[in-house]
Amino acid sequence: MNTSTTGDVTRAEYCVIACAEAWRDDGEILASPMGAVPSAGARLARLTFAPDLLLTDGEATLVGPGGEAEGWLPYRRHLALVTGGRRHVMMGASQIDRFGNQNISCIGDWHRPSRQLLGVRGAPVNTLNNPVSYWIPRHSPRVFVERVDMICGIGYDSARAAGASATRFHRIPRVVSDLGVFDFATPDRSMRLASLHPGVTVEAVREATGFPLTIPDDVPYTRDPSPAELALIREVVDPARTRDREVRA
C-alpha cells in the first residue's frame, strides 16, 4: 500500500482532490457538482488539469473558478447538454448499492415510506444520458446498502436489464466518500474500492459498507495534493473552508 507524504492535509482536502479527479480528461464538458466538496473539486480541476471544463452558477450563467461570469447558459441549452451527453454531474445519494443504483426519493416501501426525501428529480435522465459520479460525505451501511429502496439514478445492473437504449451512454466514473474512492472496474460492474483516503483502513471501509466490496490485494491511497493545489484549495477555491462542514475532522 502506498504511503502519504503530506502530513497536514485534512480529510476534507483529500476528498476535494478525489472529486476533482472525476473530471480529469473530460475535455470541454459542463461540470455539475452538487455539494461544497464537489464544487471545490470542480473549480480546482478547472484551475489545474482541466482548463476546458465549463462551470455554471446553477442558474443561467457560465462562470470561472472564482465565480466571474464567462458566458450565458439558458436552461434549454443546459438540457441540451444533458441529453447530448456533454455534462458530467456529481450527485449525492441517500442510498447507493453495489451496482451504483442511487436513491434520493424515499426510505422504506414506496407506497408507505418511513421518510420522504427529495424525490426522483432528474436522476434517471442524468444517469442514462451523461456521466454521473457520486459524492457521499458520510460513508455508512445506511447509505451503502445491499439494495436501494427506490431506484432514482440508474446503476449498471438496471441499465443492463433495460437494454441497449439504457446502456449506450450510461457511465458511473466514480463514487467518492469521506473514506475513499470507489469505481465499477469489475467484470460484473459491481463496486470496487479504488483508493483509501490516508488514515482510513480497509477494515473500516468494510464495516461501513452494507454489501461485499471488491477489494484489490494492494489498495493505494488517494493521491496527495501538490503544494500548488493545496494553496489553491485553501486560498482561492474554498478560503471559507466550506469543505469542513461536509467532512468530519
Side-chain angles (χ1 to χ4, degrees):
M1 185 177 291
N2 295 336
T3 58
S4 173
T5 57
T6 308
D8 66 339
V9 181
T10 68
R11 180 73 58 82
E13 288 162 345
Y14 278 110
C15 291
V16 170
I17 286 291
C19 287
E21 286 290 338
W23 286 285
R24 184 179 286 275
D25 300 324
D26 271 0
E28 191 177 34
I29 194 169
L30 180 67
S32 292
M34 300 181 184
V37 168
S39 295
R43 292 195 295 273
L44 179 66
R46 167 70 185 274
L47 285 166
T48 53
F49 54 78
D52 294 329
L53 204 62
L54 302 177
L55 305 176
T56 176
D57 64 355
E59 295 183 5
T61 306
L62 288 170
V63 298
E68 65 279 8
E70 292 188 335
W72 184 50
L73 187 71
Y75 198 61
R76 64 181 178 274
R77 180 57 183 158
H78 192 133
L79 290 178
L81 290 172
V82 173
T83 56
R86 299 299 302 162
R87 182 177 78 151
H88 182 169
V89 59
M90 182 169 280
M91 300 175 63
S94 301
Q95 292 178 326
I96 191 167
D97 67 24
R98 69 173 71 202
F99 292 105
N101 295 292
Q102 170 245 35
N103 176 25
I104 52 172
S105 184
C106 64
I107 301 298
D109 184 83
W110 184 83
H111 297 285
R112 294 181 64 85
S114 60
R115 182 169 297 179
Q116 180 66 51
L117 304 174
L118 290 173
V120 175
R121 301 177 69 86
V125 174
N126 289 341
T127 49
L128 293 182
N129 288 280
N130 53 238
V132 174
S133 293
Y134 292 104
W135 159 239
I136 315 289
R138 298 287 186 270
H139 192 130
S140 79
R142 296 177 61 183
V143 180
F144 286 75
V145 297
E146 179 68 33
R147 183 182 295 272
V148 297
D149 292 338
M150 180 177 178
I151 296 175
C152 301
I154 310 302
Y156 280 101
D157 60 337
S158 298
R160 186 165 55 243
S165 62
T167 58
R168 184 178 180 187
F169 301 114
H170 177 267
R171 185 164 67 92
I172 308 174
R174 63 175 48 198
V175 176
V176 180
S177 82
D178 59 334
L179 299 184
V181 180
F182 307 83
D183 62 22
F184 299 88
T186 56
D188 64 349
R189 290 295 195 175
S190 60
M191 196 179 293
R192 179 186 77 121
L193 177 59
S195 74
L196 293 165
H197 300 326
V200 179
T201 65
V202 168
E203 189 56 36
V205 172
R206 280 200 181 102
E207 291 179 357
T209 305
F211 54 83
L213 280 165
T214 296
I215 300 178
D217 293 334
D218 186 20
V219 183
Y221 281 124
T222 302
R223 75 168 179 88
D224 292 327
S226 69
E229 288 174 323
L230 200 57
L232 284 171
I233 292 171
R234 295 175 177 178
E235 300 169 17
V236 178
V237 169
D238 187 28
R241 301 183 68 94
T242 60
R243 59 193 180 276
D244 293 333
R245 301 172 195 168
E246 284 190 343
V247 181
R248 292 183 294 252

